Every structure is written in structure tokens, then in C-alpha cells.
Amino acid sequence: MDKRILRISLTAALAGFLFGFDTVVISGANQPIKELWGTNWFLGETPFTFHGIFIMSMALWGTVLGSLFGGIPCDKIGRKKTLLWIGILYFLSAVGSALAVEPYSFSFFRFIGGVGVGASSVAAPIYISEISKASNRGRLTAMYQFNIVFGILIAFISNYLIGLLFTPDNAWRWMLGIEGLPALIYTIMVLKIPNSPRWLALKESEDSTILNALHNLGIEKDLAMARLSELKKSLETSISNQKEKLFAGKYNKPLLLAFLIALFNQLSGINFVLYYAPEILERAGLASGESLLSSISIGVINLIFTFIGIALIDKLGRKQLMYIGSIGYILSLAMVGWCFYSGASSLLLLIFILVFIASHAVGQGAVIWVFISEIFPNKVRAYGQSWGTGTHWVFAALITLLTPTFLDSEIGIFKENPWPIFIFFSTMMILQLLFVIFMMPETKGVSLEDLAKKMRGAKK
């Protein structure tokens, strides 16, 4: 693998590190803010609190917005500049949240950080997929997911260490503010990466500009000339028809594939398990301290098996990993449901939850961002990525909102025993397996241009 492309891809993938860090770091500010500003009051007659909607969930609403509209800057100003602005949003969010003196400004800065998270899930996978070779595109693009998981783990460690160093009154501000440092470093690093040659070609830039971008990727002069010719040829049809839209009908197949893989990602219950892991384990009989320790084991397993998924994605292929993950999902979720239903030991339940996490990390976790970034042609890739990631985040938001209603409210139908939830998720994963068998194409080792023809059913 070319070291220069690896370095550039890793720089773009660091947006995922900030994504993971930003998502989890709020956990350290949860209780202190609730006590400082008294935000735990209900909104009217609803089961939702001001704290839940504005303090804890505001970043998630920003994420939905950033993912749905992130394709616009990716297309208009380019992948690189979008990544640069994402870094700025992360920095402003970190510093602004740490210095906030009341809940409304705090919510605003958390919201813009969420916009950065959503936009990064569009821009980073697109950029990496466009600068990679077909032979290593999966591994390089999947580094984004690895960095998300790594960022989550580092945020937990950071919150723990800061909690030891500062008083509870001030620790939460440092927990949130420390993200400004990696955000600033990331922003500076992005300044040094080249524009995507595919995006430059799509915007009909000068040949010299495209060749310079190819050269900055480490591509030799003769090969760069051939690559330029290939890019221009592949874009001739789309450039001659600039008014064609994503939903014009021509791209129905990749639209459906992106929608379904994103939908099934959330119907696996992964966010439910990650967000509510300590509570789930406590309901299984573990003490509070034991459940927190076990939650760390979930993070470690997630990181290890994400790395395994990255190592295998260009060898076994996207479809094979989805087979493995789907079968692991079905079995592990069914057994978690059985453990709750039968009152099996908490250790056995934890083992099956860890199998579930491993199945996700190897399958959906490693594949989703790679697959969505591959299946749309150059011209509409940015908007297609927004469609897929937007679907993912909209359903993530819905599941996050609905879960407390099932578990904690007075009408919580699974308040005593949540086993039916896991059986539901397991059943949904049977549908995912059918999707993989009958609908999902293998994209391993195929150029983005050839994949575009494959999605249209055109001959090479």
C-alpha cells in the first residue's frame, strides 16, 4: 500500500476519531450539568425532559442535519474544504460548550458539533474512497469506522482521567474542552491534503490542477496522465447531462441499497446496546460498578473486531463480512433475549452481548461507510452519501428517542424485562441476511467507474 495515500487517508479518517470522541464525551457532563442548571424538568405533558432533548440529544439533531445536507458542500466546495470546515465546527463546539454559562448556548455549541459529526460521515468516506485504489479502498475507507470506535474509547479514558484531576464542578468543562486540541490538530493536517482528483474532474478543472492532485497522491507522471484520461472519459456522459438529479430514477438501485443497509444498521439495535449498556447489564443482575466495568469490555471488543473487519474487508469482501455479521447478529440477539426471558446468569448474558458487538464490528460496522461511498457514481456520490448516512442518523435519532418510552416511562411495556426488544432485533437481522443474499452486490476490487456501470446495469 502506498504510504502517501495511507497517510492522507488516515488524516481524513481522523474526522471519525472526533466523531466518536464528541459522541461519548457528553456522558461526563450529564450529571454535573443537570445539577448545575436544573435541566431535568419535563416538557409539558410529554415523557421528554429539557435535559434529554436539549442537553443530551442536541448533538444528535445536528448530526441528522449534517448528514442530510452534508452532500451539498461536498459537491459545491469539494471534499477537502468540507473536511476543513468540519474540523472548525468540532473546535468551536468543544470550546463553546466548555465555556457556556447557561443551557441554551451550551445546546447551540453541541448542535454545531453534531453538524460536524453528520457532515464527516458524508465527506470522509467519499474522500477516502475517491483517492484509493480498488484493491485497498475497503481497508482505507473502513479506517473511518475504526477511528470512530477508537475515539469513543479515548473519550471514556479522557473523562476518567480528567475526573481524577479536577473537582466535579469544573471537570465537565475540561472533558468537553479538551476535544478542541485534537480538533485543531486535525484542521491543520487537513490543510496539507490534496483535493480529490475525481471531484476536480467532475468540476471540469484545468488538467494541470487535476494532474497536480494526482501527483500529490504519489502517482507518477505517466500513470497520472493515463488516470486523467480515464477520469475524463468516465465523466463525459455525466458532464453532458449536468441537470440530472439523484432521484430522477436512474439511481434507484444504489438509493435502495444505501437505504436498506443504513436501515438494517439501526434495526440491529447497536445504538440501543451501546447507549444503554450499563442499564441493560444492571437489569441482568450486575451491580452498578460491575456494569460500568463490563461496558468498558464492550468498547474493547468493539475496537478489536473493528480492526479485524478492516483487515478482512478487501480479502473476503463486503458481502462475506455482512454474511458473517448477520448470522452473528441473529444468534447473539436471540440468546440475549433468551437470557433475559429465562433469568440466565449475568455472565452468560454479557458473553452474548460481546458476541453481538463483535458481529457488528466485523460486519455492519466495517462495511456500511465503505459500501455507501462506493455504490454511487462520481456525479451524485456526495448526495448519495448524504442519502445513506441521513437514513442512518434519522433512524438512530428515532430509536434513541423511543427507547426510554419502552424502558423507563410509566407506560414502558418492557420495563420489567426487555427480552422482546432483543427478539425483535434478531428477527430484523433475518431480514438483513435475506437482503445480503438476494440484493447486495459485491464491490470488492472493482473501480468506482465500473461500479457505476454495474449499478446502472450497463456493460463495460
Side-chain angles (χ1 to χ4, degrees):
M1 186 183 297
D2 186 281
K3 290 183 179 180
R4 190 179 305 189
I5 290 182
L6 176 62
R7 175 178 54 80
I8 294 169
S9 298
L10 183 58
T11 298
L14 287 176
F17 174 85
L18 293 168
F19 169 165
F21 194 100
D22 189 84
T23 300
V24 166
V25 74
I26 186 65
S27 63
N30 179 17
Q31 194 61 32
I33 287 178
K34 192 182 297 184
E35 296 173 359
L36 176 64
W37 291 327
T39 55
N40 201 33
W41 47 272
F42 287 93
L43 297 172
E45 299 298 322
T46 73
F48 306 115
T49 65
F50 178 91
H51 185 82
I53 296 293
F54 286 89
I55 302 300
M56 297 301 290
S57 299
M58 190 53 69
L60 188 57
W61 305 123
T63 300
V64 171
L65 183 71
S67 61
L68 288 174
F69 296 99
I72 297 175
C74 274
D75 181 62
K76 301 298 182 183
I77 65 174
R79 290 53 159 146
K80 175 183 175 178
K81 287 184 179 179
T82 302
L83 289 170
L84 182 66
W85 277 104
I86 286 167
I88 293 171
L89 287 175
Y90 278 130
F91 179 79
L92 292 175
S93 175
V95 175
S97 299
L99 298 178
V101 294
E102 37 75 32
Y104 296 100
S105 61
F106 178 88
S107 299
F108 169 75
F109 284 111
R110 286 295 297 164
F111 178 82
I112 65 173
V115 172
V117 169
S120 78
S121 65
V122 177
I126 289 176
Y127 179 83
I128 299 171
S129 71
E130 289 187 342
I131 68 169
S132 308
K133 298 177 182 177
S135 59
N136 58 23
R137 189 175 60 240
R139 279 174 290 168
L140 292 178
T141 308
M143 285 197 304
Y144 178 74
Q145 173 67 16
F146 178 82
N147 274 279
I148 293 173
V149 177
F150 185 53
I152 289 172
L153 192 60
I154 294 300
F156 277 127
I157 295 172
S158 172
N159 281 0
Y160 174 74
L161 294 176
I162 289 174
L164 295 178
L165 295 174
F166 297 92
T167 63
D169 291 342
N170 293 317
W172 70 269
R173 295 187 182 275
W174 285 99
M175 289 176 186
L176 294 167
I178 196 68
E179 185 187 349
L181 180 59
L184 182 61
I185 294 171
Y186 164 77
T187 304
I188 294 171
M189 291 175 67
V190 169
L191 288 171
K192 299 181 180 180
I193 67 175
N195 275 302
S196 162
R198 282 185 169 90
W199 177 79
L200 291 172
L202 179 63
K203 295 303 175 181
E204 300 183 83
S205 300
E206 296 290 334
D207 287 359
S208 59
T209 303
I210 302 172
L211 287 170
N212 185 56
L214 290 167
H215 175 72
N216 287 334
L217 290 173
I219 301 174
E220 298 297 330
K221 184 177 179 180
D222 292 342
L223 188 58
M225 289 295 296
R227 189 74 187 111
L228 173 62
S229 177
E230 180 185 340
L231 284 174
K232 293 177 73 174
K233 183 178 179 181
S234 70
L235 291 167
E236 282 175 0
T237 303
S238 60
I239 289 175
S240 67
N241 192 15
Q242 286 289 341
K243 294 184 178 180
E244 188 173 5
K245 303 298 182 183
L246 178 64
F247 296 100
K250 186 176 181 179
Y251 307 113
N252 283 348
K253 184 175 181 179
L255 282 170
L256 180 60
L257 291 172
F259 176 84
L260 288 175
I261 196 170
L263 173 64
F264 284 127
N265 183 284
Q266 288 304 302
L267 289 180
S268 70
I270 184 62
N271 276 7
F272 170 74
V273 172
L274 290 178
Y275 290 176
Y276 294 92
E279 182 177 345
I280 291 170
L281 293 170
E282 282 182 34
R283 292 189 182 207
L286 290 176
S288 178
E290 292 175 322
S291 69
L292 289 173
L293 185 61
S294 298
S295 297
I296 294 175
S297 70
I298 289 175
V300 173
I301 290 295
N302 200 4
L303 186 69
I304 292 172
F305 280 87
T306 297
F307 186 79
I308 293 173
I310 292 172
L312 295 176
I313 194 167
D314 283 320
K315 295 178 181 178
L316 297 183
R318 291 59 159 155
K319 191 164 184 170
Q320 293 299 318
L321 290 187
M322 287 291 288
Y323 275 129
I324 296 170
S326 297
I327 294 171
Y329 273 150
I330 294 166
L331 297 177
S332 60
L333 286 166
M335 292 307 298
V336 170
W338 175 82
C339 286
F340 271 114
Y341 179 78
S342 64
S345 72
S346 55
L347 177 60
L348 186 61
L349 183 137
L350 176 61
I351 290 171
F352 284 119
I353 287 180
L354 293 179
V355 173
F356 165 75
I357 294 295
S359 300
H360 172 80
V362 166
Q364 271 272 13
V367 171
I368 182 171
W369 307 116
V370 177
F371 185 73
I372 295 175
S373 70
E374 293 176 322
I375 58 178
F376 292 95
N378 293 321
K379 183 189 170 187
V380 295
R381 182 169 296 117
Y383 298 108
Q385 184 81 6
S386 279
W387 164 256
T389 57
T391 299
H392 173 277
W393 287 115
V394 166
F395 280 100
L398 290 174
I399 288 175
T400 303
L401 269 182
L402 291 174
T403 297
T405 303
F406 286 106
L407 290 180
D408 300 322
S409 71
E410 292 302 318
I411 61 171
I413 57 177
F414 305 131
K415 193 170 184 179
E416 297 303 321
N417 195 325
W419 71 266
I421 298 177
F422 292 97
I423 298 302
F424 169 78
F425 288 143
S426 180
T427 303
M428 291 301 100
M429 291 303 93
I430 294 174
L431 296 181
Q432 175 178 277
L433 181 59
L434 294 175
F435 159 73
V436 175
I437 294 171
F438 295 108
M439 294 183 66
M440 183 178 177
E442 179 55 76
T443 59
K444 179 187 73 169
V446 185
S447 73
L448 293 178
E449 287 70 33
D450 286 341
L451 277 173
K453 295 176 183 177
K454 187 176 181 181
M455 291 296 106
R456 296 197 309 266
K459 296 180 180 179
K460 293 186 180 181

